[in-house]
Amino acid sequence: QVRLVESGGDLVQSGGSLRLSCAASRNINSISDIAWYRQGPGKERELVAGIGLRGNRHYADSVKGRFTVSRDNTKFYLQMNMLKPEDTAVYYCHGKYGRVDIWGQGTQVTVSS
């Protein structure tokens, strides 16, 4: 069984930055369709950013220019700059191991105004 584990969530002031990390229990290169999702209070889970099969990066309109998704040989990351109170949410990493969808347990990001 493959697991994903997020870290890096914290309380930060508006305008601040955070870097979320997602580690896999297996070789990160065996994980495809890497993406970050978030679920704010009273909201549905939404796609924030991801890396496609060909390495192309895609972002939700609400985070373009502020967030950057990346990966290296051990983890994948979400760099979040110019954070806003509306970015407050539990952030989840997601990937596919073969045809199996895998989710992390989530990490809380709270942005104070």
Side-chain angles (χ1 to χ4, degrees):
Q1 185 177 2
V2 181
R3 293 185 299 114
L4 297 175
V5 180
E6 304 94 337
S7 61
D10 205 345
L11 170 64
V12 64
Q13 289 188 337
S14 182
S17 298
L18 282 175
R19 188 193 196 201
L20 305 183
S21 299
C22 182
S25 58
R26 289 182 183 263
N27 185 344
I28 194 71
N29 293 314
S30 65
I31 309 297
S32 64
D33 286 352
I34 290 168
W36 288 92
Y37 288 74
R38 68 185 181 188
Q39 187 165 15
K43 299 181 180 179
E44 295 186 353
R45 191 172 297 190
E46 62 174 351
L47 176 64
V48 177
I51 301 177
L53 292 176
R54 298 184 179 183
N56 54 300
R57 288 157 172 77
H58 52 93
Y59 300 92
D61 288 343
S62 59
V63 306
K64 282 181 182 177
R66 300 188 298 122
F67 290 12
T68 303
V69 61
S70 63
R71 65 182 296 172
D72 60 24
N73 287 331
T74 60
K75 296 181 182 180
F76 56 100
Y77 307 93
L78 184 67
Q79 177 66 43
M80 306 186 293
N81 299 327
M82 295 181 287
L83 282 162
K84 305 174 181 180
E86 50 264 43
D87 295 319
T88 294
V90 178
Y91 284 73
Y92 300 88
C93 59
H94 168 270
K96 284 193 173 182
Y97 183 70
R99 296 182 179 182
V100 179
D101 284 297
I102 310 163
W103 292 91
Q105 82 290 348
T107 186
Q108 176 70 47
V109 172
T110 303
V111 185
S112 63
S113 57

